[in-house]
């Protein structure tokens, strides 16, 4: 969602957008639907949902869908990502998503939520200590 005023949405707006994206999840195999809302430095929000398929292994998580959509649209600097699942306990990003979010988003603010409210908040560097990245190549 473009933000013409350059305003930054508040966390609850991002949660709403991630919940809405979650409704588009293709989760026929796990039934575990996830939505994500990724915020850029200028306040633009790009959403994603998990996409599964019959090979299982080619599944892409909501967070990576959001990041790849954003990169494909030319966005390069990010501040926050909200991740929503229908679980009482927080649903944190998987290891593969942490790696991709770190590579392209750096030390993002990560907000976790379920269908009723916020369940957690972290910095990506705390979820991915000692990352492998381009500085090591
Ligand atoms: N999933 C996500 O989309 N994001 C997460 O943070 C955790 C897991 C998806 C992958 C798969 O489609 C389903 O949830 C069950 O693992």
């Amino acid at each position: 969602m473009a933000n013409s005023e350059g305003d930054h949405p508040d966390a609850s707006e991002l949660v709403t957008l991630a919940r809405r994206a979650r409704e588009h999840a293709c989760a026929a195999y796990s039934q575990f639907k996830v939505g994500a809302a990724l915020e850029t430095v200028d306040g633009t929000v790009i959403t994603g949902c998990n996409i599964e398929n019959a090979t299982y292994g080619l599944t892409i998580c909501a967070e990576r869908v959001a990041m790849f959509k954003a990169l494909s649209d030319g966005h390069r600097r990010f501040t926050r990502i909200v991740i929503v699942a229908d679980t009482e306990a927080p649903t944190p990003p998987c290891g593969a998503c942490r790696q991709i979010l770190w590579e392209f988003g750096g030390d993002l603010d990560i907000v976790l939520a379920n269908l009723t409210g916020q369940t957690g908040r972290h910095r990506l560097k705390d979820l991915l200590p000692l990352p492998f990245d381009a500085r090591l190549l």
Side-chain angles (χ1 to χ4, degrees):
M1 187 183 74
N3 191 326
S4 51
E5 284 90 43
D7 292 338
H8 285 256
D10 62 28
S12 70
E13 289 176 70
L14 291 173
V15 170
T16 300
L17 293 170
R19 274 191 203 138
R20 206 173 287 158
R22 179 182 167 275
E23 289 164 17
H24 298 138
C26 302
Y29 304 98
S30 73
Q31 311 299 329
F32 192 83
K33 296 183 176 189
V34 185
L38 176 65
E39 180 191 49
T40 71
V41 285
D42 69 7
T44 302
V45 181
I46 298 97
T47 60
C49 60
N50 53 327
I51 301 177
E52 301 179 351
N53 70 93
T55 68
Y56 300 178
L58 294 178
T59 290
I60 310 185
C61 296
E63 298 91 318
R64 271 175 291 154
V65 169
M67 179 57 86
F68 293 151
K69 280 173 66 182
L71 293 168
S72 171
D73 283 348
H75 299 289
R76 288 295 183 269
R77 293 174 62 220
F78 306 96
T79 49
R80 263 193 298 189
I81 187 164
V82 172
I83 302 160
V84 171
D86 184 14
T87 55
E88 205 172 315
T91 296
C94 77
C97 287
R98 292 178 199 201
Q99 181 69 28
I100 292 296
L101 292 175
W102 178 261
E103 170 98 27
F104 295 105
D107 189 22
L108 288 173
D109 190 12
I110 302 206
V111 177
L112 308 176
N114 61 22
L115 301 190
T116 52
Q118 197 169 310
T119 54
R121 194 170 165 193
H122 305 272
R123 300 302 300 219
L124 184 52
K125 71 173 164 45
D126 299 323
L127 300 185
L128 190 66
L130 201 62
F132 176 80
D133 60 29
R135 291 172 298 187
L136 300 171
L137 293 175

